[in-house]
């Protein structure tokens, strides 16, 4: 199936028993067994089937299959949030004493997980401040278990050189893990560029309507765990099998033990949202170009960060289908003007989210990145004058008109 067909049909055909055309919400905690032999077979893994919604659920299964098809992976695992998708990935690959090499251009929550919480688990993250793959390579040690980056980093809008980072990771027999939240297909399919594991906060563009917190981890199935020799329980004689041991362990051990399962209702909401993903991304991108052009020419704007105005070849190389919805700009008048701008928007929504149908605006320094130290905030791109916009799919004229009046109110 092609991408647009996967978004509608992936993982689901009309239910045989009832003929239901839309995926039903299997709102049940657990599933009954036919008899003790059936129960035993499900528990020892010799037969597949549903046991308990913390581990799997038929509604969630449709979402997971659709995501795996969409990203070109062999399997996917849905989680309760984007943060738990990151955590499940870390816990599937690392234990105390291990290390991760990660870009420092990260969503603030991920940066905090990596720099504070993982430290208490005995997992060390070596942060790389540059976008240069050589710097990532230099930080890899015997203990490094994976290389991590966001495709288009939130909020810095730096495009990772995916192919080069995948090569670095693979040269050291470790996987390359990416968070592709800001660049969902059809903008980018990171597995095509060497990523081994792809994470999304499905809260964002995947769901698309700002109704459900969710995450997903997709396994490319391409990483050779046996050859790597660095992951004892994923290599030869893995208790998680040989086909896709990473995603099997993520579900059968880490999801089971941490309990960060998605609710069937939220999986249903994502299935609805995904059906328009391709159409929405087209409109997000075309609107963002118009809004960026307006900002570029505005007398109240100091600087603008949108890939159209960058000479970084990575944007053209990796984002052939559009540059996405995220725009960063610096308002003249710094922190005061920034706050005033946000207090004056009428159509735009002031919110700590992205990837909604509505145009969203936030001042990261005082909100999403507030928990970081000042230097860390600068490194993450959340300077005092910085306003982050996620352009929605309303009529661009209305978005621009609202920004124009709010900028005027803030700066004149
Ligand atoms: C790039 C990125 N990754 C992960 C997350 C965390 O996702 P969630 O809020 O669904 O836990 C976010 C949230 O904003 C994000 O922007």
């Amino acid at each position: 199936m092609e991408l647009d067909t996967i978004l509608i049909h992936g993982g689901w055909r009309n239910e045989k028993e009832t003929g239901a055309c839309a995926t039903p919400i299997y709102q049940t905690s657990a599933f009954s067994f036919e008899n003790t032999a059936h129960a035993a077979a499900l528990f020892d893994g010799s037969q597949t089937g549903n046991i308990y919604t913390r581990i799997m659920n038929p509604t969630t299964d449709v979402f997971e299959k659709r995501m795996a098809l969409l990203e070109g992976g062999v399997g996917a695992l849905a989680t309760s949030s984007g943060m738990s998708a990151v955590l499940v990935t870390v816990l599937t690959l690392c234990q105390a004493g291990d290390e991760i090499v990660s870009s420092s251009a990260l969503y603030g929550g991920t940066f905090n997980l990596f720099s504070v919480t993982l430290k208490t688990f005995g997992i060390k993250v070596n942060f790389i401040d540059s976008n240069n793959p050589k710097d990532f390579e230099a930080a890899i040690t015997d203990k490094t278990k994976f290389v991590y980056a966001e495709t288009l980093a939130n909020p810095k809008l730096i495009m990772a050189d995916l192919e080069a980072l995948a090569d670095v990771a693979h040269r050291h027999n470790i996987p390359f893990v990416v968070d592709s939240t800001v660049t969902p297909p059809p903008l980018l399919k990171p597995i095509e560029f060497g990523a081994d594991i792809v994470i999304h906060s499905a809260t964002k563009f995947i769901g698309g309507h700002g109704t459900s917190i969710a995450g997903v981890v997709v396994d490319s199935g391409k990483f050779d765990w046996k050859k790597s020799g660095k992951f004892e329980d994923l290599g030869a004689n893995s208790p998680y099998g040989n086909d896709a041991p990473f995603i099997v362990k993520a579900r059968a051990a880490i999801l089971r033990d941490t309990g960060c399962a998605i609710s069937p209702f939220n999986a249903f909401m994502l299935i609805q949202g995904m059906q328009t993903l391709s159409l929405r991304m087209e409109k997000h991108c075309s609107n963002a170009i118009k809004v960026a052009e307006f900002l570029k020419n505005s007398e109240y704007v100091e600087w603008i960060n949108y890939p159209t105005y960058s000479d970084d070849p990575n944007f053209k190389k990796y984002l052939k289908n559009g540059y996405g919805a995220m725009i960063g700009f610096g308002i003249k008048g710094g922190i005061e003007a920034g706050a005033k701008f946000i207090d004056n928007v009428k159509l735009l929504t002031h919110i700590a989210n992205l990837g909604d149908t509505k145009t969203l605006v936030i001042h990261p320094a005082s909100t999403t990145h507030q928990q970081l130290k000042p230097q860390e905030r600068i490194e993450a791109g959340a300077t005092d004058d910085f306003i982050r916009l996620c352009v929605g799919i309303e009529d661009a004229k209305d978005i621009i008109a609202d920004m124009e009046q709010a900028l005027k109110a803030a700066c004149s």
Side-chain angles (χ1 to χ4, degrees):
M1 284 190 284
E2 297 296 326
L3 191 140
D4 285 350
T5 314
I6 292 169
L7 290 170
I8 311 289
H9 293 284
W12 173 252
R13 284 314 288 169
N14 300 354
E15 196 179 54
K16 284 201 189 81
E17 217 164 287
T18 64
C21 181
T23 310
I25 308 173
Y26 290 92
Q27 192 69 26
T28 178
S29 308
F31 301 84
S32 61
F33 308 118
E34 288 161 24
N35 49 46
T36 50
H38 176 226
L42 290 178
F43 273 90
D44 74 14
S46 57
Q47 200 175 323
T48 52
N50 300 301
I51 299 176
Y52 195 59
T53 286
R54 168 149 50 80
I55 299 159
M56 63 201 297
N57 173 281
T59 310
T60 305
D61 183 56
V62 174
F63 170 63
E64 291 170 336
K65 288 200 168 106
R66 196 166 292 184
M67 278 306 307
L69 285 166
L70 187 64
E71 287 286 10
V74 293
L77 178 75
T79 58
S80 56
S81 67
M83 285 313 302
S84 55
V86 178
L87 181 64
V88 163
T89 303
V90 170
L91 297 182
T92 305
L93 296 175
C94 297
Q95 56 189 38
D98 287 341
E99 295 180 5
I100 298 164
V101 169
S102 172
S103 165
S104 64
L106 294 174
Y107 161 62
T110 307
F111 189 88
N112 210 57
L113 168 70
F114 281 8
S115 57
V116 179
T117 304
L118 290 190
K119 209 184 267 173
T120 68
F121 290 8
I123 297 168
K124 183 178 165 206
V125 181
N126 291 308
F127 289 104
I128 309 305
D129 294 338
S130 86
N131 201 22
N132 186 344
K134 284 192 185 132
D135 296 335
F136 285 71
E137 183 147 32
I140 293 176
T141 72
D142 287 353
K143 294 177 186 157
T144 307
K145 289 299 170 77
F146 64 89
V147 172
Y148 189 89
E150 289 179 7
T151 52
L152 182 56
N154 169 24
K156 236 177 171 176
L157 300 185
I158 288 175
M159 186 68 220
D161 189 348
L162 303 176
E163 269 181 343
L165 289 177
D167 284 351
V168 163
H170 296 159
R171 260 201 298 282
H172 294 267
N173 293 313
I174 52 176
F176 177 40
V177 180
V178 297
D179 178 336
S180 194
T181 298
V182 175
T183 54
L187 298 193
L188 178 67
K189 291 172 75 177
I191 291 171
E192 290 176 354
F193 295 102
D196 300 293
I197 293 153
V198 179
I199 294 170
H200 284 274
S201 164
T203 312
K204 311 296 185 317
F205 295 102
I206 300 288
H209 299 74
T211 60
S212 314
I213 298 284
V216 64
V217 184
V218 180
D219 182 352
S220 71
K222 292 192 173 153
F223 189 76
D224 192 337
W225 304 100
K226 270 189 236 143
K227 190 178 137 226
S228 159
K230 297 211 163 186
F231 302 88
E232 219 173 288
D233 59 355
L234 300 179
N237 308 319
S238 169
Y240 307 107
N242 288 321
D243 292 342
F246 167 81
I247 206 73
V248 174
K249 178 181 173 188
R251 181 188 304 282
I254 309 301
L255 184 70
R256 179 199 62 189
D257 294 353
T258 57
C260 51
I262 189 173
S263 79
F265 181 77
N266 279 356
F268 169 82
M269 295 302 280
L270 300 177
I271 291 165
Q272 306 317 301
M274 275 181 87
Q275 296 180 44
T276 57
L277 178 63
S278 200
L279 295 173
R280 281 187 285 111
M281 292 320 295
E282 241 179 82
K283 180 82 170 166
H284 278 296
C285 292
S286 63
N287 272 359
I289 288 170
K290 291 177 192 160
V291 172
E293 197 56 25
F294 158 74
L295 287 168
K296 180 106 176 85
N297 296 318
S298 168
E299 60 185 300
Y300 306 120
V301 171
E302 196 79 61
W303 54 266
I304 174 160
N305 187 4
Y306 190 68
T308 317
Y309 309 116
S310 165
D311 51 14
D312 179 354
N314 286 328
F315 288 120
K316 285 206 174 66
K317 177 173 178 186
Y318 295 114
L319 297 176
K320 288 200 166 64
N321 292 328
Y323 291 149
M326 308 289 290
I327 299 176
F329 70 95
I331 190 165
K332 280 190 183 154
I335 198 152
E336 264 176 46
K340 231 169 149 190
F341 168 76
I342 283 180
D343 286 338
N344 275 284
V345 293
K346 295 188 171 75
L347 178 75
L348 274 53
T349 309
H350 179 206
I351 202 168
N353 197 15
L354 58 95
D356 199 307
T357 50
K358 301 163 203 76
T359 299
L360 312 177
V361 64
I362 198 159
H363 181 226
S366 59
T367 53
T368 49
H369 287 62
Q370 175 214 64
Q371 76 269 39
L372 306 187
K373 298 188 185 97
Q375 187 55 31
E376 290 171 347
R377 273 212 294 275
I378 290 167
E379 277 162 19
T383 50
D384 281 354
D385 62 344
F386 169 52
I387 291 174
R388 188 190 78 184
L389 261 183
C390 184
V391 179
I393 61 172
E394 305 99 330
D395 192 307
K397 281 196 224 95
D398 291 324
I399 303 169
I400 291 169
D402 192 38
M403 295 195 65
E404 198 163 21
Q405 67 76 24
L407 279 169
K408 223 176 249 170
C411 302
S412 55

